[in-house]
């Protein structure tokens, strides 16, 4: 029983370390051939957005909005992949993570 508790504590520490690493890691996404670039952290929080002036047309803000959404989605997709890489093995050790609070899968 003591060994099981030690394993659980280690997995909890590993999970906390992986989550901290994710929060400190950034992932970039882009759209429109690089006209719009978004940066998110490994947790999927938007950290930065760069819009090339060529993408700004006052007559067509709808296209710009679509480019921003696409860039953010691209970056968030990269963050989700990073989460799977970092947290996936830990969740497997916890029995797959299915439905566990705080785990994105």
């Amino acid at each position: 029983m003591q060994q099981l508790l030690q394993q659980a504590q280690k997995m909890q520490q590993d999970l906390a370390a992986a989550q901290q690493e994710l929060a400190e890691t950034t992932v970039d996404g882009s759209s429109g051939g690089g006209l719009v670039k978004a940066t998110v952290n490994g947790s999927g929080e938007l950290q930065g957005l760069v819009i090339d002036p060529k993408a700004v047309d006052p007559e067509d803000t709808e296209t710009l909005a679509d480019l921003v959404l696409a860039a953010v989605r691209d970056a968030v997709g990269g963050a989700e992949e990073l989460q799977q890489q970092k947290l996936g093995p830990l969740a497997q050790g916890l029995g797959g993570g299915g439905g566990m609070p705080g785990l994105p899968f």
Side-chain angles (χ1 to χ4, degrees):
M1 187 66 166
Q2 182 65 23
Q3 184 179 7
L4 186 59
L5 287 173
Q6 288 174 343
Q7 285 177 331
Q9 277 184 321
K10 178 166 179 5
M11 287 173 40
Q12 186 178 22
Q13 290 169 348
D14 291 347
L15 180 60
Q19 289 173 326
Q20 180 65 32
E21 186 177 341
L22 283 172
E24 295 172 358
T25 303
T26 59
V27 180
D28 295 320
S30 66
S31 67
L35 289 175
V36 177
K37 298 176 186 172
T39 301
V40 299
N41 67 14
S43 300
E45 297 171 353
L46 186 62
Q47 301 291 306
L49 185 64
V50 176
I51 301 172
D52 188 305
K54 294 179 213 162
V56 180
D57 178 358
E59 304 285 322
D60 185 17
T61 57
E62 197 171 298
T63 297
L64 178 57
D66 289 342
L67 289 171
V68 169
L69 282 174
V72 170
R73 286 181 180 145
D74 185 39
V76 168
E80 288 172 355
E81 286 179 31
L82 184 62
Q83 288 174 0
Q84 289 291 339
Q85 291 171 3
K86 296 287 183 189
L87 299 178
L90 294 173
Q92 304 232 331
L94 294 170
M100 291 195 67
L103 294 180
F105 35 87

